[in-house]
């Protein structure tokens, strides 16, 4: 069992104990977060699913990302809120970034924005990860799992998703 699998297992336990549903919106990671959560114990009890929106057009159309750069705080915020609403999740994490090797939207490789819908609000944060594209994807996946685990640690129980 990998360290990521262990975190996903802890997320499963915490989500079931809190009686909450989780979802993800992924761009840069291409579904890797979803794969880990979906393979966790009893995932059908708490994991609602994911929207993997790799293209900018899908981010704008499906996840309500506003016009402009998709590697941005506004994009991560919109993705987290939209996936929570679409999938009926109490907690949702969203990731969008420039994996490299080239910059994207004026952001250097390794720039990643995270959006976290939890407890009725959306928080965002930006990180810069070093390494090759796969290193950035791995670091992004790991940090997204950490954000979910932290949100679950203080989960009050079911909170309705945001309105559009």
């Amino acid at each position: 069992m990998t360290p990521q699998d262990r975190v996903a297992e802890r997320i499963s336990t915490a989500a079931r104990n809190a009686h909450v549903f989780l979802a993800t919106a992924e761009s840069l990671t291409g579904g890797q977060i979803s794969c880990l959560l979906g393979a966790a114990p009893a995932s059908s009890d708490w994991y609602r699913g994911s929207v993997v929106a790799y293209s900018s057009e899908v981010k704008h159309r499906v996840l309500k990302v506003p016009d402009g750069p998709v590697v941005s705080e506004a994009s991560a915020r919109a993705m987290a809120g939209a996936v929570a609403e679409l999938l009926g999740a109490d907690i949702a994490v969203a990731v969008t970034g420039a994996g490299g090797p080239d910059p994207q939207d004026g952001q250097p490789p390794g720039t990643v924005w995270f959006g976290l819908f939890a407890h009725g609000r959306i928080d965002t944060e930006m990180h810069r990860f070093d390494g090759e594209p796969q290193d950035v994807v791995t670091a992004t996946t790991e940090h997204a799992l950490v954000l979910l685990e932290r949100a679950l640690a203080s989960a009050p129980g079911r909170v309705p998703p945001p309105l559009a």
Side-chain angles (χ1 to χ4, degrees):
M1 181 179 286
T2 69
Q4 291 177 339
D5 292 327
R6 283 191 282 282
V7 175
E9 191 171 286
R10 291 194 308 265
I11 288 170
S12 173
T13 300
R16 285 181 285 149
N17 288 342
H19 305 286
V20 296
F21 296 120
L22 276 62
T24 61
E26 301 182 62
S27 177
L28 168 70
T29 49
Q32 289 194 30
I33 302 163
S34 181
C35 286
L36 288 163
L37 295 176
S43 59
S44 62
D45 293 342
W46 53 270
Y47 185 51
R48 300 293 285 180
S50 181
V51 174
V52 179
Y54 209 74
S55 94
S56 295
E57 177 187 351
V58 173
K59 288 182 197 83
H60 294 301
R61 191 166 34 92
V62 176
L63 293 175
K64 303 177 185 174
V65 169
D67 289 338
V70 295
V71 179
S72 66
E73 179 179 17
S75 181
R77 181 177 299 281
M79 290 169 68
V83 80
E85 179 184 354
L86 280 169
L87 301 182
D90 305 293
I91 298 173
V93 69
V95 298
T96 183
D102 300 317
Q104 183 179 343
D105 292 335
Q107 298 297 318
T111 303
V112 181
W113 277 97
F114 295 85
L116 181 70
F117 171 78
H119 317 304
R121 56 181 271 175
I122 301 170
D123 293 308
T124 59
E125 57 185 63
M126 189 269 294
H127 289 269
R128 288 213 167 93
F129 299 114
D130 293 326
E132 297 298 315
Q134 187 55 49
D135 300 323
V136 174
V137 169
T138 298
T140 301
T141 299
E142 290 172 354
H143 189 68
L145 293 174
V146 166
L147 290 175
L148 288 173
E149 192 170 26
R150 282 185 198 155
L152 283 162
S154 59
R158 297 206 35 82
V159 175
L163 299 175

